[in-house]
Amino acid sequence: MVELINLTPHAIVVDNGSTQKVYEPAGIVARVETKSTVVDVVDGFEVVQNQVVGDNLPEPQEGKVFIVSAMVLALRPDRGDLVAPNTGAAKRNDKGHIVSVPGFVRS
């Protein structure tokens, strides 16, 4: 059995149409520290490339998968124990706020 641990600052509601589950925040918000290097200038604006130089992610743990933001997931593709909410297919309310997601994405 896999345990999902929410490392975002807000509850994640997952609803696939037949099952709904709420993942409450674990109290630790995953952050990634980056170093930016200018790699180009486009129309007078710098384009940077970010390199991960640190993070506060817990070490991988057997049977645990960590829910993180899409940005953290994108910057840590080497971590197979990370998922992000599938916001591309999210259900939204009339104000456009996410109500639920149907599942997760992995990089």
Side-chain angles (χ1 to χ4, degrees):
M1 172 105 100
V2 173
E3 178 185 4
L4 282 165
I5 299 170
N6 182 1
L7 300 182
T8 74
H10 51 273
I12 305 293
V13 179
V14 182
D15 186 346
N16 64 10
S18 61
T19 303
Q20 183 181 63
K21 188 163 184 179
V22 178
Y23 296 91
E24 296 294 338
I28 300 168
V29 178
R31 301 277 186 227
V32 176
E33 181 183 351
T34 60
K35 175 185 171 193
S36 298
T37 304
V38 177
V39 294
D40 201 357
V41 176
V42 176
D43 200 23
F45 297 98
E46 293 181 345
V47 177
V48 299
Q49 185 173 40
N50 292 321
Q51 177 184 2
V52 175
V53 294
D55 63 48
N56 68 338
L57 291 167
E59 291 296 319
Q61 299 172 38
E62 185 71 32
K64 293 187 180 183
V65 172
F66 300 101
I67 304 169
V68 298
S69 69
M71 180 182 283
V72 171
L73 182 66
L75 290 170
R76 291 305 310 264
D78 58 308
R79 291 282 302 257
D81 61 336
L82 304 180
V83 296
N86 183 3
T87 57
K91 292 180 186 173
R92 297 179 181 270
N93 65 18
D94 59 346
K95 294 182 181 178
H97 300 136
I98 293 176
V99 175
S100 67
V101 295
F104 301 99
V105 296
R106 192 173 255 151
S107 60

